[in-house]
Amino acid sequence: MSIIETDAVLHEAHRDNHTHRDVNGGWLRPAVFGAMDGLVSNLALMTGVAGGAVSQQAIVITGLAGLAAGAFSMAAGEYTSVASQRELVEAELDVERRELRKHPKDEMRELAALYESRGVEPALAQEVARQLSRDPEQALEIHAREELGIDPGDLPSPLVAALSSFGAFALGALLPVLPYLLGATVMWPAVLLALAGLFGCGAVVARVTARTWWFSGLRQLVLGGAAAAITYGLGSLFGVAVG
């Protein structure tokens, strides 16, 4: 009895600890990229304009315009990209569905050959392929997974990707503008808040990757800070040249 109970406990522990995060995701990638892009691009845009020695009002308007334009652009780009990808996948699924309907035996042999190539004995591979091919929808799902590397029931949503990208970009792009909206009259509070946001975003991203939080945070902070410094320098040069 103790052995049976121990096995049951181990099975429960394995089931609880052997779960995987969503790596296909229709929302995680656009949200992460949107927030990072919003922070970096709007911070760089505002520091570039500030380098040209323009008024505080011009910097704020630039930041708000960058927020709006970037958020809509990111959302439209993500929607188009994910929709195109989904349409391509659905077209390939239609091809596979027609093949399964017109040539079921050939597709069954193809599946058996695939299992054989992975080390399954020929007789067993053929029997497995035969049983799995009895349900057309199940056969389509298996062929899609094995041949195309996709899950027909887990395709990303263009709308989810667009909304995630829009919201994340707007939130990220708001940080450099926020100090001005709260009454700041100089650039450094906006830069400090944006850099802190970059570090925070990098640290949060580390929770779904294999990197440590401090490495991911510092990497994003350095990249964003470099972009802001370069654009500030360019803005200063252009300001002098134009002036």
Side-chain angles (χ1 to χ4, degrees), residues 12-162:
E12 289 292 330
H14 173 77
R15 186 187 64 186
D16 293 339
N17 294 321
H18 197 68
T19 56
H20 296 282
R21 291 164 292 196
D22 178 17
V23 295
N24 292 325
W27 68 270
L28 180 60
R29 182 185 64 84
V32 169
F33 279 106
M36 296 293 191
D37 195 18
L39 267 167
V40 174
S41 64
N42 221 28
L43 174 61
L45 179 63
M46 292 174 64
T47 53
V49 172
V54 299
S55 66
Q56 175 189 340
Q57 183 182 19
I59 296 174
V60 174
I61 292 175
T62 297
L64 293 175
L67 185 157
F72 281 110
S73 177
M74 285 287 292
E78 279 296 331
Y79 186 91
T80 302
S81 174
V82 175
S84 299
Q85 178 188 2
R86 187 182 179 108
E87 290 163 2
L88 174 61
V89 169
E90 289 174 344
E92 291 300 314
L93 288 175
D94 287 340
V95 171
E96 192 64 35
R97 190 177 286 109
R98 287 195 299 271
E99 289 299 312
L100 285 167
R101 186 173 60 251
K102 294 180 179 178
H103 309 288
K105 292 184 178 180
D106 290 337
E107 291 295 314
M108 186 174 65
R109 283 193 289 268
E110 184 179 300
L111 192 59
L114 179 64
Y115 290 139
E116 286 183 45
S117 70
R118 295 184 176 179
V120 180
E121 296 181 358
L124 180 58
Q126 292 176 14
E127 178 60 20
V128 170
R130 185 188 67 79
Q131 292 189 28
L132 293 176
S133 299
R134 287 183 297 192
D135 182 355
E137 287 304 314
Q138 178 177 257
L140 175 64
E141 180 178 341
I142 294 170
H143 279 274
R145 287 178 182 272
E146 299 292 347
E147 297 177 25
L148 303 175
I150 59 173
D151 183 356
D154 191 28
L155 299 181
S157 166
L159 184 59
V160 169

